[in-house]
Amino acid sequence: MSHPHPELGLPPALPEGALRIVALGGLGEIGRNMAVFEYEGRLLIVDCGVLFPEPDQPGIDLILPDFEYIRDRLDDVEAVVLTHAHEDHIGAVPYLLRERRDIPIVGSRLTLALIEAKLTEHRIQPTKREVVEGERHRFGPFECEFLAVNHSIPDALAVAIRTPAGIVLHTGDFRMDQLPSDGRLTDLGGFARLGAEGVDLLMSDSTNAEVPGFVTSEREIAPVIDEVIRTASKRVIVASFASHIHRVQQVIDSAEKHGRKVALVGRSMVRNMGVARDLGYLRVSPGLIVDSKEIEGWPPEDVVLICTGSQGEPMAALSRMANRDHPIRIAEGDTVLLASSLVPGNETAVNNVINGLSRWGARVVHKGNAKVHVSGHAAAGELLYVLNLTRPSNFMPVHGEWRHLRAHAKLAALTGVPDDHIVIAEDGVVVDLVDGRAKIVGAVPAGYVYVDGTSVGDVTDFALKDRRILGEEGFISIVIVVDTATGKLAGGPEIHARGSGIDPAMFDDILPQVERALQENAADGVVDIQQVRRVVRRTVGRWVSDTYRRRPMIIPVVVEV
C-alpha cells in the first residue's frame, strides 16, 4: 500500500535518544494491527493481526502485515505485546513466530491461552509472559505498564510504553462501558495518572470516531437476546465472533433459562469457548452444552446453536447453512440471530447470507432490525474523555479507516492538541518522537502479504488481478503450431473459451485475422516465440474488445516444430 506522502523516502538513522514508531498495519484499514517501536536499536511490537479478504481478493484466506521491515532484525525484537485476543490483533502471530520462534509473547491470561491454542494448530510452542493490569514489566529499554480496558472480549489491556524519549500510551481497542457484564472497567484513573505524569504520544482506537456520544452498555443487549430466544417457536441459531465470550455467555444464560440445550458449531468457536470455559471466563452448567452432531435429533424448540459466520465469511458455518452446504439444515420457522456488528466491507456478503437464510424460511434478527449488538469500540464522546484525561503532547490516531483517523484527529484538535502535533499516518509511515515532538520522517514498504491455503506471500497483486479477470470476463486460449525456423504457421489456430460468454461459432470471424497477422509476422522475418504470442494476443484482444466490449484473459499456446 502507498503512504499519504508519496515524496517520502526511506527514513534517516534514528537520532540518539529518539523513539521510532512504524505501523505495519492498522492505519487506513480495520485489521492487520501491528506497530513496531524502536529505541537504541531494540524493537518492541504491539499486536500482530490479520486482515480478512474482500470480495475483490478471490481465493485469499488472510492478509498479513509485511514483515520485510523487521525481517533482518528479528533478533532485536524484545517481545510482542498483545493488547487482546481478537484475530485482527493476534492472527498473524503464528506467521511471525515461523521466522523466529522464541520471541516472547506478552499478554493477559485469556489472550495468551487463546493464542497458545491457535499456535498449537501451527505446531509452535510459544515463549509466554503473562501480565495483569497494574503491573510494570521491562523488555530491554522498554518499560511497559499495563492498564485494564473494557472491550468486547475479556482481559483486554492498554499499554504505556516508557523510554527516555517519553511516554507513549497505546490504548488498544477499548470502550468505556460503565456497566460491563464482567465488571471490568476501563482504567480511567490510570489514564488520568498518566496524563498528570505527561503523555508524550497518545495512540488511540479510532474505529468509532464518527459515532457521537457513548456506546450502549453490554447489559442492555441481554434482554433483547432473551426475548428472541423466549419467543422463538423452533431452533435458534446465533452467529457471533468466535472470540466474543460476553455474547456467548448471554446466549447460554438465556438458553438455560428457557430450557434449551446449546451446541457450539465451528472449529474456532469450539476451541475458543473451550479455553474460556477452562479458565473460568465462561460459566456453563453441567449438561447444558451438547455435541453439535447430536443436535439434529433434538426437538427444535429445545435447541440453541452458536456458530461462526456473522460477517458472511464463505467457509464459516452460517454461510454454509445458508447455501445448504452444511449438515445443519435451515428449516421453516428457525430463528437466526446475527449477534455482532458489521465490519466495513462485509455488507454484501452478510446481505447474501441473510437472503439465503430467508429463502429457507428462517426469521433473521440482526442489527438492522433489533438491538442485538453493541460496539466494542469507544464512540466520539468517550474518545474526547480520554483525550482530556491524558492531555497528550502529541496524538496519533490508530485502528481505523481514513475517515475514522481524520475524525479522531479533529477530536484531538478540539481538546487543544496543536495541529502540528497531530500525526495522521498510514501503514509504513515512520514517525519519530524526538525532544517531545512526534514527526513523520520517512516511509518503509508495508504492503499486503496474502495467505492462500498453505502459501504465504506467493500470491501477488498481479495474480489477484488475473483472478479477477478470470472470474469476471473468463478466458480465451488460442493454440497454434509454428515452424521455429521460419516463423510460419504450421497448424491451427484453434480457439477455446471458458466463461467469456462468446458463442464458439463466432470465432470463425477471427481465425483469418490471426492467420494474416502471423503471415505478416513471418514475412518480416520474426521467429521469436514471445513476439508470436504477443501478435496473437493483440489480434484476438482487439477483436473481442471491438466486437463485445469485453476484456477476457487471452492465453496464446504456441507449439514449436
Side-chain angles (χ1 to χ4, degrees):
M1 290 180 65
S2 62
H3 49 78
H5 307 284
E7 71 277 7
L8 285 175
L10 292 173
L14 182 61
E16 185 176 350
L19 176 70
R20 174 160 290 174
I21 304 107
V22 182
L24 299 182
L27 301 186
E29 60 194 0
I30 303 291
R32 218 169 57 116
N33 297 282
M34 182 176 181
V36 179
F37 296 81
E38 178 179 357
Y39 186 81
E40 292 184 342
R42 306 302 294 174
L43 304 178
L44 180 76
I45 297 172
V46 174
D47 290 330
C48 187
V50 296
L51 181 68
F52 292 101
E54 296 187 0
D56 64 348
Q57 294 163 327
I60 299 304
D61 299 314
L62 298 170
I63 303 171
L64 309 178
D66 187 351
F67 302 143
E68 190 60 34
Y69 171 64
I70 61 171
R71 183 161 279 120
D72 294 335
R73 302 188 57 193
L74 290 173
D75 288 341
D76 297 334
V77 177
E78 296 286 352
V80 176
V81 173
L82 301 177
T83 58
H84 63 284
H86 280 152
E87 284 294 304
D88 59 336
H89 293 258
I90 70 169
V93 170
Y95 301 92
L96 179 62
L97 292 190
R98 286 183 186 182
E99 308 208 18
R100 181 190 152 196
R101 293 197 170 221
D102 64 343
I103 299 176
I105 305 300
V106 181
S108 64
R109 185 179 180 218
L110 178 64
T111 300
L112 290 182
L114 291 177
I115 189 63
E116 186 171 24
K118 175 183 289 293
L119 288 169
T120 298
E121 297 181 359
H122 290 259
R123 298 178 180 177
I124 296 174
Q125 182 61 44
T127 301
K128 301 180 297 179
R129 187 160 175 182
E130 184 179 322
V131 297
V132 298
E133 57 264 28
E135 292 182 347
R136 293 191 186 192
H137 295 266
R138 179 167 288 278
F139 307 98
F142 307 96
E143 183 184 72
C144 295
E145 178 182 355
F146 297 94
L147 301 95
V149 292
N150 181 256
H151 188 40
S152 53
I153 187 171
D155 262 9
L157 296 168
V159 56
I161 302 169
R162 288 180 170 85
T163 66
I167 298 175
V168 177
L169 174 58
H170 192 304
T171 67
D173 291 357
F174 79 101
R175 63 185 174 193
M176 288 164 50
D177 189 343
Q178 297 303 294
L179 294 170
S181 55
D182 61 358
R184 191 169 177 270
L185 296 163
T186 292
D187 187 3
L188 300 180
F191 284 7
R193 175 176 48 76
L194 288 167
E197 185 178 345
V199 173
D200 295 280
L201 176 63
L202 173 64
M203 300 172 67
S204 183
D205 177 10
S206 305
T207 309
N208 274 347
E210 293 182 308
V211 179
F214 285 61
V215 297
T216 304
S217 174
E218 187 80 35
R219 293 198 179 195
E220 295 190 22
I221 304 304
V224 182
I225 292 175
D226 190 72
E227 181 68 11
V228 169
I229 293 176
R230 185 186 68 82
T231 58
S233 59
K234 293 188 177 179
R235 288 184 305 185
V236 178
I237 301 167
V238 180
S240 176
F241 291 118
S243 57
H244 205 330
I245 296 167
H246 297 318
R247 185 72 72 247
V248 172
Q249 184 71 66
Q250 290 172 324
V251 174
I252 286 175
D253 291 345
S254 181
E256 183 175 20
K257 177 181 175 182
H258 297 291
R260 291 177 180 251
K261 296 290 186 180
V262 175
L264 303 175
V265 182
R267 186 179 64 176
S268 58
M269 180 67 73
V270 172
R271 180 191 66 202
N272 287 1
M273 293 309 128
V275 170
R277 186 177 182 180
D278 291 343
L279 296 180
Y281 292 92
L282 188 70
R283 302 175 306 278
V284 183
S285 298
L288 182 64
I289 292 183
V290 297
D291 194 306
S292 61
K293 295 176 183 177
E294 304 172 5
I295 208 72
E296 287 292 302
W298 287 77
E301 64 274 13
D302 294 341
V303 169
V304 172
L305 297 98
I306 306 175
C307 69
T308 55
S310 61
Q311 300 304 306
E313 305 95 315
M315 295 307 294
L318 192 66
S319 296
R320 293 174 58 203
M321 291 179 200
N323 295 326
R324 285 290 171 94
D325 182 30
H326 195 278
I328 295 170
R329 313 283 283 184
I330 298 296
E332 185 80 31
D334 285 346
T335 297
V336 178
L337 172 60
L338 301 182
S340 65
S341 60
L342 186 59
V343 174
N346 292 346
E347 294 86 354
T348 299
V350 172
N351 286 333
N352 287 341
V353 169
I354 291 173
N355 281 321
L357 296 167
S358 299
R359 177 186 180 189
W360 307 118
R363 170 197 174 209
V364 184
V365 181
H366 53 86
K367 192 178 180 183
N369 58 25
K371 197 164 189 62
V372 292
H373 183 73
V374 296
S375 177
H377 302 271
E382 296 159 88
L383 298 177
L384 283 169
Y385 203 101
V386 168
L387 281 160
N388 284 324
L389 278 178
T390 57
R391 302 191 300 279
S393 301
N394 301 272
F395 176 68
M396 181 175 170
V398 296
H399 196 288
E401 297 176 347
W402 269 104
R403 58 197 178 102
H404 307 128
L405 302 181
R406 294 284 187 189
H408 204 172
K410 289 181 179 178
L411 295 177
L414 289 174
T415 65
V417 181
D419 287 342
D420 58 352
H421 287 240
I422 298 173
V423 177
I424 302 180
E426 193 173 1
D427 296 342
V429 168
V430 180
V431 177
D432 283 357
L433 181 63
V434 186
D435 297 328
R437 182 76 179 276
K439 292 183 179 179
I440 292 174
V441 297
V444 298
Y448 284 174
V449 174
Y450 299 107
V451 178
D452 182 357
T454 59
S455 165
V456 179
D458 294 337
V459 177
T460 65
D461 287 325
F462 294 108
L464 281 182
K465 181 180 179 181
D466 287 346
R467 289 182 182 185
R468 287 193 289 270
I469 292 171
L470 286 169
E472 296 167 4
E473 304 283 355
F475 78 95
I476 297 172
S477 64
I478 310 98
V479 182
I480 58 174
V481 181
V482 173
D483 185 331
T484 55
T486 64
K488 292 183 179 180
L489 188 66
E494 294 181 7
I495 298 185
H496 307 275
R498 291 289 186 275
S500 67
I502 301 174
D503 185 347
M506 300 303 295
F507 290 128
D508 292 341
D509 297 340
I510 187 58
L511 292 178
Q513 297 181 41
V514 173
E515 293 173 359
R516 187 162 52 251
L518 290 172
Q519 288 170 0
E520 294 173 356
N521 205 51
D524 292 338
V526 177
V527 296
D528 180 67
I529 296 301
Q530 293 300 326
Q531 179 64 20
V532 171
R533 290 194 179 98
R534 282 193 288 270
V535 168
V536 173
R537 185 182 293 111
R538 184 167 57 247
T539 303
V540 176
R542 185 184 303 116
W543 174 79
V544 173
S545 178
D546 292 345
T547 308
Y548 294 98
R549 295 292 186 268
R550 295 176 188 168
R551 298 177 63 86
M553 182 174 290
I554 297 170
I555 306 173
V557 179
V558 180
V559 179
E560 303 174 51
V561 295

